[in-house]
Structure formats: C-alpha cells, structure tokens
Amino acid sequence: MKKSILYVCFAIISLVANAQTEKMYIYQQGQVKAIELAAIDSLVFAEDYIDWLDADQITTLVNKMYDDWDGLANEYLFGRDLMWEQAAGNDVAWGRPRPNPELVTLSLTQSVSVLNNAWNSLNYLIISANQVIQIITRMPTLSDEQQRQLGEAYFMRAVAHFYIAYRYGTSKQGVPFVRYEDFANGYDSSVAPQRATVMENYQLIIDDLTKAEELLPTFDAYDEADFGRAHKAAAVGYMAKVYTYWACWDSGKWAQVVACVDKLENTYGRALAQDFTDNFTSDKSKWANSEYLFSLPSEKVESEWKGCEFPGVVLVNKGWGKVNGWGQFKPTLDIYEEFSKDDSKLAAGQSTNLRKVNSLLEYGQQFQFFGETMNFWDPRDVETGFMIAKYLEPFGHANPIEEGYVCDNGNWPVARLNFPLMRFAECLLLRAEAYLAMGNATKATADINTIRDRAKLTPLAANATWTDLYHERRCELAFELAADHAFDCKRWAYAGNAE
C-alpha cells in the first residue's frame, strides 16, 4: 500500500529546503537508494516513491528523540506529567489542586489528558525511531555515524515501548506495537497490532535493546557535546529493568536481571558514585560519574536552554519571590517517615541522615537558595510540610540565573542538572530484588548494604527481607520519575511479593 500524496508533497518541499545537501536517500519499492543531488537537474516523484529522508534529516529526527519538545524531556513525559499518577504510590501529593483525583485513587472511568498526552508522546517517539530504522536498515553500507544512529533508534524505540508496555500490559493482553522494518515494501500505515500478552512486548523490547547494545558506542566514546546520548551500558541497564517487570509473570527471568547487572559491573565498569549528591549536582565534572547510565542533561548551551523542567516544577510555588517555581508535587508524611526509619541507624561518626536531608526539606530545615541560608517554609497552596530537595542544588548559587544555573524563563523552569532516568544504584536494587526472588538473601543483603554504606548508614543486622528491599528502593530512588514507585507497588502485587 502506498503512502498518501502528502508524503510526496513533503518530499518535494524538503528537497527544496535541503538543496545544499550532498546526498539524499530515496526509499523506493522496499529499497533505499542514495542519490547525489549535485548530479540531478530535475526530479519527478512518482507514486511509488513513498518516503525519504536525507542524512541531515535523519540526524534531526534522532536528535529530536532526546529534546524537550518532542523527546523524553518534554513536559508530557519526564518534564512533569508522568509524575501526576505517582501520588497513587503515596510518596508525593499534588501540591496544587487539579482535576481527575481518580488518578490517585486508581478508579479511572474516563479519559484523562495527562495519560493521553504521555501515550501520544511515547508513541511519537516509537514512530520517529521506526522511521529512522526503516531507512537506515535498507542502506547498503553504513557510516559510523549511521550505525550509531541506528543503535539510538533501536534504544529509543525500546525505551518508549517499555514505558507504555509496563503501564498498560498484562499477562492477558499486551499493548499495540509495530516495527516498520518488518514490511518488505515499507510500512503500509496499517493499525499497529495488539500484542497477545505483555510478555510478547517485553521480548520485542529486549530484541531492540540487544541490537542497540551491539551498535552503540560506550558512553566515554562521546565527546562532551554529545553527553547524554544512548550508549551500550544504558541499553543493558534497561534490559535489567525490562526483565524485572517480565519476572512478574515469568519467574525464570530473574536470572537475566542478575546477568545484566553483573555485565554492567564487570564489562562496563559501573559502580556507585562516591557521594549520593554527585548524581544531583550542577557541577558538570561529576555528571559522567561511575553511576551514570542514562539521563536528561539539562543546561544552557550558548544562548539556549535544553533539558528537563522538573526541578522547577517541584520548587515551591513562586520560589519565595526569586524564581517561578511551580510547586506541583510535594513529599508526603508517609515518605518522610520512611526516610526517618534510618535516623537511628547512622554509621559511626555520622550525625545526619544524608539521604533524607538531600531528598526533601521539612519545616525549619536550613538550605541554600540564591546564595542565602534559609529556613524552609511553604507559603502557598496545598501544605504537606515538605518540599522535594533532590534537584535543589543549582538554585543555591548566589546568582543562579546570571551564572547559568537556572533558566530565566519562569514558564520553563529548567536548572543545570544531569537529570537521571537510570543510574547504577537502581540496578543494584534490581539485582537485590532478583536475588531475594531466587532465594539468595545473602547476595541480596550485600547489594543493599552497598547502597546503605554509600548513604552512611549501618548495614542490615540480618539477611535482607522484602521489607528491607522496599525501604531501600523507596528511599534511595525517591522522587525520581523513572524509578516509578507507584508501578513498583503494582508489579510487586502482581508477582505476589508484596508484604
């Protein structure tokens, strides 16, 4: 089936717009043909020319998968909206009134815009990745850049597919998904098939991540300007997470979780950063630490800000008159009390629960803001008595806006941070969970104690239990959108591991 005439018009317009491009790729009758534009006097697009992208357009499409308008950093995804449903997990409360409380009470009976927007944004990423894969896989030879771009497309398709699959798929019904490269003559615009089970989706995701690992460079092969792009270890980290969710339905997958995390340690040299706060700092020299796996680097590049607005979304509304925080999510008493369980379990010589004070603020707690020492108070909206502090460090500089630590656009409150989507600490906890599920509490305890040691807490007094795992995962990963505590609760219930 041929694409509509709209594609033909788009191709003609794009050809004019890219007249200086040396080479373009025509996708015709199931094959990609490279055409030197300098040798073309005129080009007539017949009906069977169904799609094309030139090399610059492929690069643009790949780059858009990361950005704050069309990619993972956009407001409908990790910029903000994936957090609304996290109130159902009782770690955060909505800091300002909004409709659809059924998101929190798990009683949805109607369409909800924030879920629709996330669904559409994730599917847009899948479509973009599909377009890149369809073109590049039909090229006769690939440059190093095209090989990397193909790896990035497989990675992004897998990640977007995963965030849809675990949210909506079950053992009785998967989610719709299609791979354009499976169509010999090009994707025919048919409706993506509903997969029979979510396990089928997970296998397709693992297939894409496996290809991504093969094609992508290691993260240290990128120069500073490309920091944050997909790399081999990121693909393996996401494999560990996919297998963790898959294990809810098939306990045989726990062993794959262990294998993936072992590979991160032994092949890719991943380990915890020296300090917990090294993962949430404006100091760029610490962004590429050993814990880094995948993130949304947020900073001012020349005159343009890029990245994730979430640090400003959780800053108190109006930012005490200094900057336009939004105050839309606030910690609950429940998560505060979970953190506080460690107040009496500090390591020798330690006087502060470092993980708690660097994750949230409570009334009266001192912190740095615009170069001043302040005592926390919340002047507006819904008061829980707390504020998320995990992403607060850039706002502590004396002149954060002038010095490029905080965006001056209050409608887009980005701050200079390497906003994490996956870090090795989570993978250690995934492996600990796998060990517990396989009956090896001794090894689970070792991984949990590695996390606790970094947090300057005493080790567990006995072999780890599921309660210990829940506590550690909840406190270590609090307020990190990709960690997804609400869906942790759901998958633990599915797997029968809830206590």
Side-chain angles (χ1 to χ4, degrees):
M1 184 183 297
K2 297 180 176 64
K3 298 269 180 87
S4 70
I5 193 68
L6 180 62
Y7 263 109
V8 178
C9 295
F10 174 74
I12 295 172
I13 293 169
S14 297
L15 177 61
V16 173
N18 292 278
Q20 302 303 314
T21 305
E22 295 180 358
K23 185 180 290 186
M24 65 176 274
Y25 298 95
I26 294 290
Y27 179 48
Q28 181 190 27
Q29 297 177 336
Q31 294 183 333
V32 169
K33 299 179 181 180
I35 298 178
E36 300 290 341
L37 294 187
I40 298 176
D41 293 326
S42 63
L43 181 63
V44 176
F45 285 87
E47 283 186 327
D48 58 355
Y49 285 91
I50 60 175
D51 203 359
W52 71 273
L53 290 172
D54 66 35
D56 289 340
Q57 288 173 313
I58 292 172
T59 297
T60 297
L61 195 55
V62 171
N63 290 344
K64 277 179 147 320
M65 297 181 201
Y66 296 93
D67 74 16
D68 37 75
W69 293 108
D70 301 299
L72 288 172
N74 86 66
E75 187 172 292
Y76 294 154
L77 296 175
F78 293 105
R80 181 186 63 181
D81 285 358
L82 288 180
M83 196 65 170
W84 291 114
E85 58 191 318
Q86 287 302 308
N90 205 26
D91 282 357
V92 297
W94 294 349
R96 298 167 67 178
R98 63 157 290 121
N100 305 120
E102 58 270 26
L103 274 172
V104 179
T105 59
L106 304 179
S107 56
L108 283 173
T109 58
Q110 60 182 331
S111 176
V112 176
S113 62
V114 294
L115 298 184
N116 294 342
N117 291 338
W119 173 276
N120 291 337
S121 293
L122 291 167
N123 274 291
Y124 176 84
L125 279 171
I126 292 173
I127 291 168
S128 298
N130 263 326
Q131 291 172 337
V132 173
I133 293 167
Q134 179 176 239
I135 293 293
I136 296 182
T137 54
R138 285 168 167 82
M139 292 179 180
T141 59
L142 301 183
S143 66
D144 289 345
E145 181 182 22
Q146 288 162 344
Q147 176 175 293
R148 187 206 78 212
Q149 290 172 333
L150 180 58
E152 289 179 283
Y154 280 128
F155 177 86
M156 285 297 194
R157 184 169 72 177
V159 169
H161 187 183
F162 173 60
Y163 286 124
I164 293 174
Y166 80 74
R167 277 178 160 75
Y168 300 106
T170 71
S171 61
K172 297 180 180 179
Q173 179 175 280
V175 299
F177 177 73
V178 65
R179 301 189 304 193
Y180 289 8
E181 70 269 25
D182 290 342
F183 294 78
N185 293 315
Y187 178 47
D188 63 6
S189 299
S190 56
V191 175
Q194 182 93 31
R195 300 294 170 169
T197 69
V198 75
M199 293 85 84
E200 182 181 349
N201 290 104
Y202 290 150
Q203 183 60 66
L204 290 163
I205 294 166
I206 290 293
D207 290 346
D208 276 352
L209 289 170
T210 301
K211 292 174 184 174
E213 185 194 3
E214 293 171 356
L215 292 164
L216 289 168
T218 56
F219 88 92
D220 54 2
Y222 288 114
D223 59 26
E224 183 178 349
D226 285 327
F227 178 78
R229 303 189 86 95
H231 55 93
K232 289 182 182 296
V236 176
Y238 271 97
M239 284 188 216
K241 195 157 185 176
V242 174
Y243 281 125
T244 298
Y245 273 84
W246 195 344
C248 295
W249 313 107
D250 178 0
S251 61
K253 300 304 177 185
W254 286 119
Q256 295 297 326
V257 178
V258 173
C260 288
V261 182
D262 287 350
K263 190 173 191 179
L264 289 173
E265 277 187 315
N266 301 325
T267 301
Y268 296 118
R270 300 292 81 198
L272 294 184
Q274 182 174 355
D275 193 287
F276 175 74
T277 59
D278 288 349
N279 299 296
F280 313 101
T281 177
S282 60
D283 182 352
K284 290 185 64 177
S285 70
K286 296 180 179 180
W287 287 9
N289 64 57
S290 59
E291 194 166 341
Y292 162 72
L293 281 172
F294 192 56
S295 64
L296 300 173
S298 304
E299 60 178 323
K300 189 175 185 178
V301 180
E302 296 179 352
S303 61
E304 297 291 330
W305 276 90
K306 67 170 189 175
C308 180
E309 68 186 11
F310 192 72
V313 169
V314 298
L315 183 69
V316 70
N317 191 8
K318 304 303 181 186
W320 298 284
K322 299 286 190 179
V323 65
N324 188 30
W326 293 5
Q328 292 186 324
F329 304 103
K330 300 177 181 181
T332 61
L333 177 62
D334 197 69
I335 186 62
Y336 174 81
E337 291 177 340
E338 192 71 29
F339 273 112
S340 298
K341 291 176 182 178
D342 286 324
D343 287 352
S344 61
K345 301 174 183 178
L346 305 181
Q350 187 66 35
S351 60
T352 305
N353 185 342
L354 293 175
R355 198 164 52 180
K356 181 172 82 169
V357 300
N358 286 292
S359 295
L360 56 78
L361 297 179
E362 59 180 298
Y363 275 165
Q365 183 176 333
Q366 289 192 340
F367 67 103
Q368 293 296 304
F369 193 70
F370 278 65
E372 299 178 10
T373 299
M374 293 183 59
N375 294 314
F376 173 68
W377 59 288
D378 187 348
R380 305 177 67 92
D381 308 307
V382 177
E383 291 189 58
T384 68
F386 309 101
M387 189 187 87
I388 295 172
K390 212 165 200 174
Y391 313 104
L392 184 61
E393 188 266 357
F395 297 91
H397 293 274
N399 299 293
I401 293 176
E402 294 84 351
E403 295 174 6
Y405 291 103
V406 173
C407 181
D408 60 355
N409 182 353
N411 293 319
W412 191 38
V414 185
R416 191 165 102 173
L417 279 170
N418 188 32
F419 189 82
L421 294 188
M422 176 169 284
R423 52 191 180 93
F424 186 67
E426 180 178 10
C427 292
L428 276 181
L429 291 170
L430 294 178
R431 188 170 66 183
E433 184 174 346
Y435 281 139
L436 279 177
M438 294 189 296
N440 194 335
T442 300
K443 287 190 174 181
T445 304
D447 280 342
I448 289 174
N449 280 339
T450 298
I451 299 285
R452 292 181 64 80
D453 181 67
R454 199 264 299 271
K456 302 294 191 294
L457 301 172
T458 57
L460 298 178
N463 273 345
T465 66
W466 284 100
T467 298
D468 293 321
L469 175 77
Y470 302 157
H471 169 80
E472 213 60 42
R473 184 171 174 86
R474 198 175 177 195
C475 294
E476 176 68 24
L477 304 173
F479 320 126
E480 296 180 42
L481 279 75
D484 213 336
H485 175 66
F487 280 87
D488 277 348
C489 295
K490 290 183 180 181
R491 68 181 175 82
W492 288 331
Y494 286 143
N497 293 329
E499 290 185 350

